[in-house]
Amino acid sequence: MTRAEMTEIFALLMIAYPNAEMFRAQTQQSLKEKLAPTITLWTACLREVDFWTAQKAVIRLCRACKFPPTIAEMLEAAQTVGQEVAQEIRCAYLQARSAVLLECGDPEEAYSTLPTRTRKVIDEMGGMEAFFHPGEGMFDMQGFMDTYERLLRANPVGLPGGARKELSGGGSV
């Protein structure tokens, strides 16, 4: 995550925890000066966390914590978000694959049994022909997973301060 993105994360934390001592200052300028070293440290410690995942982690932490999170709590929440997203994608892939196999290789019949979100991913890939290659008996697992994550992250986030269209957590695809 970049320093600018971390500054946006701190703006969200300021909204969520308006009474926290760390966000109190006489002026906006003194607040910026007070938070500058903190934002620099957080950026260095969380550089491997992408902005979208950090946004989802902030939402998770705001729902669970009475006080602003520590760096370790933020990292743990970000890792949990990443694991949950990966698990959701794997489950959707396995469900789509199982549907095709249970329908004895009839991709169109299998497609009609899938949840809307999974069908949207397959449509974005180019349809069932792109997902399943009957002659080869092969599924495009990587294409499905990449497309699912891209669509998941492309949804508006709806957070204060403007929604980035790069990433999203619990929204619909």
Side-chain angles (χ1 to χ4, degrees), residues 11-69:
L12 295 173
L13 292 172
M14 288 173 60
I15 293 167
Y17 301 101
N19 296 324
E21 183 61 37
M22 70 185 294
F23 299 127
R24 290 191 185 161
Q26 296 297 326
T27 66
Q28 191 70 2
Q29 183 61 33
S30 62
L31 179 61
K32 285 181 182 180
E33 292 169 7
K34 180 180 179 179
L35 287 178
T38 304
I39 291 172
T40 299
L41 177 62
W42 277 58
T43 302
C45 292
L46 299 171
R47 81 181 100 206
E48 71 278 359
V49 176
D50 66 80
F51 183 71
W52 178 80
T53 302
Q55 287 180 315
K56 300 299 138 211
V58 165
I59 292 167
R60 176 181 297 273
L61 290 165
C62 288
R63 290 177 177 166
C65 300
K66 293 180 182 181
F67 303 102

Side-chain angles (χ1 to χ4, degrees), residues 132-152:
F132 175 63
H133 309 286
E136 304 164 27
M138 302 289 292
F139 294 89
D140 184 0
M141 180 178 89
Q142 195 60 52
F144 181 89
M145 292 180 155
D146 291 347
T147 302
Y148 195 109
E149 185 168 358
R150 181 175 51 77
L151 289 175
L152 190 64

